[in-house]
Amino acid sequence: MFSTLAHFFIKNSKLTFVLVLVTLISWVWSYLIIPKQYNPTIVVPAFSIMVKAPSLTSDEVKKFITDELENKIMELEWIDETYWVSNENYAWVMVKFKVWQDKEKAKIRLTQKLEENLDLKPLWVDNPIIKAIDPDELPQITYAISYSWSDLSLENQNIYLRQIANIIKNELKKLSNVTTLEIVWWNKRNIIVELDFWKLEAKNADIMQVYDILQKNNLSLPAWDLNLSSWEKIALETNGSINDIEKLKKLVIFKSWDSILYLWDIADVRYWEKRLSYATKYSEKNVLWENAVLLWVWKQIWTNWVFVTEAVKKKVVELQKTLPKNIKISVIQDEWEQAREATSDLIKDLIESILIVVVILVIFLWFKNALNTATSIPLILSLVFLYAYIVWYNINRISLFALILVIWMLVDDSIVVVENIHRHLEERVHTWETKLQAILKAVQEVWPGVILSTITKVLSFAWMFAVTWMMWEYMWPIPKFAIVALLLSILIAFTINPWVSFLTAKEVTEWDKTHEKKKKSRFDIRILYVKIMEYFISNKPNTKK
């Protein structure tokens, strides 16, 4: 069977050469295209559930929402852990399933469970909002946008930096494969809607009518204060997605046949800078801390960090030239740099391992057979990277470590095949065979042993498939990459190595048959090996009775 495969590749030499060339080119191409990251992609089915409960205290939220929510969630199978937070006006629950669970199925079961029990929810509480928590959705690049002058107050600095960050954010949104951008700052600009009681009464409107309109327009109202003593104004604090105060002022409360009531007719709408409980500051070495705004940049899942990061950095450099000189933009976190350093070090180790294997092959197999055997290494690695690209695997330090681990095993099959071919080619002076016949006979002799030895090595890695939980999510590239590389070594040993042997061998002439001489090189390590073994075998040890 394998001799037929070798015969096909030898007879179709031009096709074999094209396949080898395409395989080597695919190595470079796939390595550049495949996404690279520091660690393997770990899929953990985890979800956050947010329930808004206006006007409820933290104790009431725990009693009416959190406890009931947690009890129903724990009825699901394969729940690993749950965490919850009961705060004023909202409840937050984090649900984590077992690692081996499918993420989409887990989300469907969780959503169905919550929808089936919506009748237990109090009427004044919003429906739960479910969002997936994905470790791969962490920001790839973090920029610190700081203000280097001191002519503005701290509050105005934050407003100014926020505006600059929005300009950069809107430009980066236009780049391909950039999915999410988030601005982090320590002053949050909220909108205050201050209703005038007398205007409400004069327009024949009420506070709940305004509340419903704001809520329908994706605005939440966590609390409101009624000052009943003065009967003048009622203050409402809004917190939602509408950030343009002019749009909010033009919000229609109701329409009649002769007039339209807008929000600005009954309320004073204005911005309010609310200081949060955290601060964002940035400082380089030996430089004072500066007030800063952080900009987080996410890439699209299964896209290459290399191209996304380079495009983002290039765009930010272009924007920096158009911004005022008092604005400083610094990269404080770059996941690609960490991945690049890790993968570069491991690629260097991989090349060193290949060179060591080649040197050892030259010492024991001599130059021609060593090069023939060594050709299997780049071809196998090329096919492994092509396989990783086809099945959407990424390159990380664990997958590269797997290739380094098996690099010395990849030449085992080729060594056996090439050595047996070399023996049959030397014996042609006695067998009167052509080089094609000798090569096919050599392949036919060793294929059962090569297959069995490879199966033994595959089984030594197959036990890792029994690893479960989080360890499997982290270590799975080792058995998968190692086993694929070992199986591909069989293909190369029975196709490319016989082809290389056929190209480098010469047909035996009549002169070779009549002038057979054994040529021994003084540098042949086998001569030294024979002499050492003859010494130990011929000399009996001296023993004393």
Side-chain angles (χ1 to χ4, degrees):
M1 180 178 71
F2 287 97
S3 60
T4 305
L5 187 63
H7 184 266
F8 174 82
F9 276 82
I10 292 173
K11 282 300 182 181
N12 298 276
S13 183
K14 293 182 180 179
L15 176 62
T16 305
F17 176 77
V18 172
L19 290 176
V20 170
L21 187 62
V22 170
T23 302
L24 293 175
I25 294 175
S26 68
W27 184 7
V28 180
W29 176 77
S30 58
Y31 179 78
L32 295 176
I33 296 297
I34 295 175
K36 303 173 186 65
Q37 56 191 55
Y38 190 70
N39 288 320
T41 301
I42 300 176
V43 179
V44 180
F47 306 92
S48 68
I49 304 173
M50 175 71 73
V51 180
K52 296 181 180 180
S55 308
L56 295 186
T57 64
S58 58
D59 292 336
E60 292 172 336
V61 168
K62 181 180 182 301
K63 179 180 179 181
F64 295 113
I65 301 175
T66 309
D67 291 344
E68 295 294 332
L69 196 61
E70 188 177 18
N71 291 335
K72 292 301 177 181
I73 290 173
M74 293 306 295
E75 294 177 1
L76 294 171
E77 292 182 339
W78 309 117
I79 295 292
D80 189 14
E81 294 176 338
T82 59
Y83 305 93
W84 55 268
V85 174
S86 298
N87 208 336
E88 292 184 0
N89 308 314
Y90 73 91
W92 178 82
V93 180
M94 197 275 281
V95 183
K96 188 173 75 171
F97 286 78
K98 300 292 185 181
V99 176
W100 63 78
Q101 290 296 301
D102 183 75
K103 184 177 179 179
E104 294 301 323
K105 292 182 179 179
K107 186 175 182 179
I108 291 173
R109 295 210 312 268
L110 179 62
T111 304
Q112 289 178 344
K113 190 67 176 178
L114 295 180
E115 289 180 352
E116 289 172 358
N117 294 276
L118 285 179
D119 58 322
L120 302 178
K121 177 181 69 67
L123 296 177
W124 60 88
V125 174
D126 294 349
N127 289 337
I129 301 173
I130 305 174
K131 290 187 177 181
I133 302 174
D134 195 340
D136 194 48
E137 293 180 354
L138 297 175
Q140 275 69 55
I141 311 176
T142 302
Y143 286 101
I145 306 172
S146 55
Y147 186 77
S148 57
W149 292 3
S150 58
D151 55 333
L152 296 177
S153 64
L154 193 60
E155 181 177 321
N156 290 331
Q157 281 186 27
N158 281 278
I159 298 174
Y160 181 50
L161 290 175
R162 171 81 177 186
Q163 295 172 350
I164 298 296
N166 273 320
I167 294 174
I168 300 174
K169 176 181 177 180
N170 293 331
E171 291 297 323
L172 293 181
K173 279 183 179 179
K174 302 176 183 178
L175 300 176
S176 60
N177 297 326
V178 175
T179 55
T180 309
L181 298 102
E182 185 173 340
I183 299 174
V184 182
W185 65 325
W186 74 302
N187 278 343
K188 183 179 179 182
R189 172 172 272 192
N190 287 348
I191 300 176
I192 289 294
V193 178
E194 196 170 19
L195 298 175
D196 192 309
F197 176 77
W198 298 112
K199 290 182 179 180
L200 278 173
E201 188 176 6
K203 298 292 184 179
N204 198 22
D206 60 75
I207 186 172
M208 293 306 299
Q209 193 173 13
V210 178
Y211 175 89
D212 291 337
I213 294 297
L214 293 175
Q215 195 173 39
K216 289 178 181 178
N217 285 272
N218 200 20
L219 285 170
S220 60
L221 298 172
W224 63 82
D225 295 325
L226 299 176
N227 192 351
L228 299 179
S229 58
S230 61
W231 288 95
E232 292 181 353
K233 291 183 179 180
I234 306 170
L236 295 175
E237 178 186 345
T238 70
N239 184 11
S241 63
I242 297 181
N243 294 320
D244 190 348
I245 195 170
E246 297 301 324
K247 292 182 179 180
L248 186 60
K249 287 180 180 179
K250 297 177 182 179
L251 196 63
V252 176
I253 304 301
F254 66 79
K255 294 181 180 180
S256 61
W257 65 275
D258 60 344
S259 64
I260 300 177
L261 179 64
Y262 295 98
L263 184 61
W264 62 10
D265 294 329
I266 55 175
D268 177 23
V269 184
R270 65 180 184 276
Y271 284 123
W272 175 55
E273 301 298 331
K274 180 180 179 181
R275 180 166 297 183
L276 303 181
S277 59
Y278 59 89
T280 55
K281 291 182 177 293
Y282 171 74
S283 174
E284 295 180 352
K285 189 175 181 181
N286 300 325
V287 179
L288 295 176
W289 289 91
E290 296 178 345
N291 203 32
V293 170
L294 303 183
L295 178 61
W296 292 342
V297 183
W298 280 264
K299 73 174 183 67
Q300 191 174 5
I301 299 177
W302 297 113
T303 54
N304 198 329
W305 284 9
V306 180
F307 304 126
V308 177
T309 304
E310 289 179 354
V312 170
K313 289 183 177 179
K314 182 179 179 181
K315 190 65 177 180
V316 171
V317 171
E318 293 176 358
L319 293 173
Q320 178 78 66
K321 298 177 182 178
T322 62
L323 295 176
K325 295 182 179 180
N326 53 14
I327 296 298
K328 182 180 179 182
I329 304 176
S330 307
V331 179
I332 62 175
Q333 180 254 343
D334 189 350
E335 289 290 335
W336 159 237
E337 284 298 324
Q338 298 178 8
R340 185 185 62 82
E341 292 176 2
T343 53
S344 298
D345 292 342
L346 288 171
I347 287 293
K348 180 181 176 182
D349 295 337
L350 183 62
I351 294 174
E352 291 176 354
S353 302
I354 294 173
L355 294 177
I356 292 172
V357 171
V358 171
V359 170
I360 295 175
L361 291 175
V362 170
I363 294 174
F364 286 95
L365 299 181
W366 208 233
F367 191 73
K368 186 174 73 172
N369 290 337
L371 288 184
N372 188 0
T373 305
T375 55
S376 62
I377 299 177
L379 292 174
I380 293 172
L381 294 179
S382 301
L383 293 174
V384 169
F385 282 117
L386 187 60
Y387 160 78
Y389 173 76
I390 293 173
V391 298
W392 287 88
Y393 288 158
N394 55 54
I395 296 177
N396 51 74
R397 55 177 182 166
I398 305 300
S399 58
L400 290 176
F401 171 75
L403 297 179
I404 296 174
L405 185 64
V406 299
I407 195 69
W408 61 276
M409 300 182 189
L410 301 183
V411 296
D412 286 354
D413 296 344
S414 297
I415 289 174
V416 176
V417 174
V418 170
E419 268 291 284
N420 202 45
I421 290 175
H422 176 73
R423 181 176 64 85
H424 277 268
L425 290 175
E426 285 186 343
E427 292 177 354
R428 285 180 297 163
V429 294
H430 303 294
T431 60
W432 296 73
E433 295 175 336
T434 63
K435 62 179 181 179
L436 178 59
Q437 292 173 338
I439 291 172
L440 296 180
K441 185 178 179 180
V443 171
Q444 188 64 26
E445 283 182 353
V446 298
W447 76 262
V450 170
I451 295 297
L452 290 175
S453 65
T454 306
I455 291 175
T456 303
K457 289 177 285 188
V458 167
L459 292 176
S460 67
F461 288 98
W463 67 268
M464 294 190 68
F465 286 102
V467 179
T468 57
W469 298 73
M470 186 66 74
M471 183 57 70
W472 167 249
E473 294 292 327
Y474 191 78
M475 302 300 291
W476 66 261
I478 294 180
K480 289 188 178 181
F481 275 78
I483 290 175
V484 169
L486 290 173
L487 294 177
L488 289 173
S489 68
I490 300 177
L491 177 65
I492 300 300
F494 290 122
T495 56
I496 305 303
N497 291 131
W499 173 69
V500 175
S501 298
F502 182 81
L503 294 179
T504 56
K506 297 180 180 180
E507 292 290 357
V508 177
T509 62
E510 289 295 332
W511 189 91
D512 294 325
K513 296 175 182 178
T514 56
H515 298 82
E516 177 191 358
K517 293 182 180 179
K518 291 185 178 181
K519 299 179 181 180
K520 293 184 179 181
S521 173
R522 68 178 63 183
F523 302 106
D524 195 340
I525 195 170
R526 290 173 292 184
I527 300 175
L528 178 61
Y529 173 76
V530 170
K531 289 183 178 180
I532 294 175
M533 296 307 296
E534 286 178 348
Y535 171 79
F536 285 105
I537 294 174
S538 60
N539 291 278
K540 296 182 179 180
N542 295 323
T543 58
K544 295 181 181 180
K545 294 183 179 180

